[in-house]
Amino acid sequence: AYLEIEAPNNRRKAIIFKSGGTRRGVIGVGDSDESSATSLFFSASTNVGGDSPHMVIDSSGKVGIGEATPTSLLHLKGSAPRITLMDTGGSNDYAKIFSTGGILYFQQRDDSAHGNIVFRTENNSTAIERLRIDSDGIIWANKANPVSSSLMILDKDGSGEAQIRFY
């Protein structure tokens, strides 16, 4: 069985959800100029149009959240947009990637403590740690490979100078 909604001249087509006579959400097809009507949009508001939807999937499969015309596979737009990852198998572990004020942030929390941020490379069978910022703010390069030398950059010491140690 199919549900088919048709509108003349490539106009927007939508399913509107109401409660108490007030629009509460919309699922529709259309876009901001209504001429090509190729984007699927979702809105959790009274807005029926595709002009300012909460989420869009365009005809090429690009997803926009807060963006009606996504320019990449996943396009987030908003005030300080952020991606949050939560490990439900851990102890309240959260990771956040976000941008605000021209700065890109990577953030990690391990329950109520600071977490570690690890950069790894991978071939088709194994991953190797290449750089780590540990929970104390110490930066390690190549710490996981004991055969090669490692570099550790520490916080400032008592003299106000940065410490760099080679292992």
Side-chain angles (χ1 to χ4, degrees):
Y2 294 93
L3 170 64
E4 186 172 310
I5 301 172
E6 185 175 343
N9 301 323
N10 284 332
R11 303 292 293 184
R12 291 184 184 121
K13 295 151 267 307
I15 299 171
I16 300 168
F17 300 90
K18 287 186 171 184
S19 176
T22 303
R23 288 184 186 141
R24 301 292 183 194
V26 178
I27 300 172
V29 175
D31 49 32
S32 59
D33 64 9
E34 297 185 7
S35 63
S36 58
T38 58
S39 295
L40 177 64
F41 64 87
F42 302 86
S43 182
S45 70
T46 61
N47 197 359
V48 174
D51 296 345
S52 56
H54 290 99
M55 187 174 92
V56 167
I57 304 172
D58 74 9
S59 61
S60 67
K62 294 175 184 167
V63 176
I65 299 176
E67 173 57 50
T69 54
T71 58
S72 57
L73 190 57
L74 177 61
H75 188 144
L76 305 178
K77 180 179 177 182
S79 175
R82 121 183 6 215
I83 297 171
T84 301
L85 307 170
M86 181 180 177
D87 180 1
T88 58
S91 58
N92 202 15
D93 298 335
Y94 283 90
K96 296 177 184 176
I97 303 168
F98 61 101
S99 174
T100 185
I103 301 170
L104 177 64
Y105 291 88
F106 294 92
Q107 197 167 295
Q108 175 63 32
R109 183 182 86 198
D110 182 14
D111 192 27
S112 61
H114 295 283
N116 297 301
I117 297 176
V118 175
F119 295 87
R120 302 189 315 179
T121 59
E122 179 179 359
N123 61 19
N124 62 353
S125 63
T126 59
I128 297 173
E129 181 177 321
R130 301 298 185 179
L131 181 74
R132 173 184 294 257
I133 304 171
D134 72 16
S135 60
D136 292 321
I138 298 171
I139 301 170
W140 289 89
N142 206 28
K143 179 183 177 187
N145 187 351
V147 175
S148 301
S149 62
S150 293
L151 168 68
M152 180 174 74
I153 303 172
L154 300 169
D155 290 338
K156 290 182 180 179
D157 64 14
S159 67
E161 300 296 322
Q163 299 177 27
I164 299 177
R165 295 184 187 161
F166 293 93
Y167 294 90

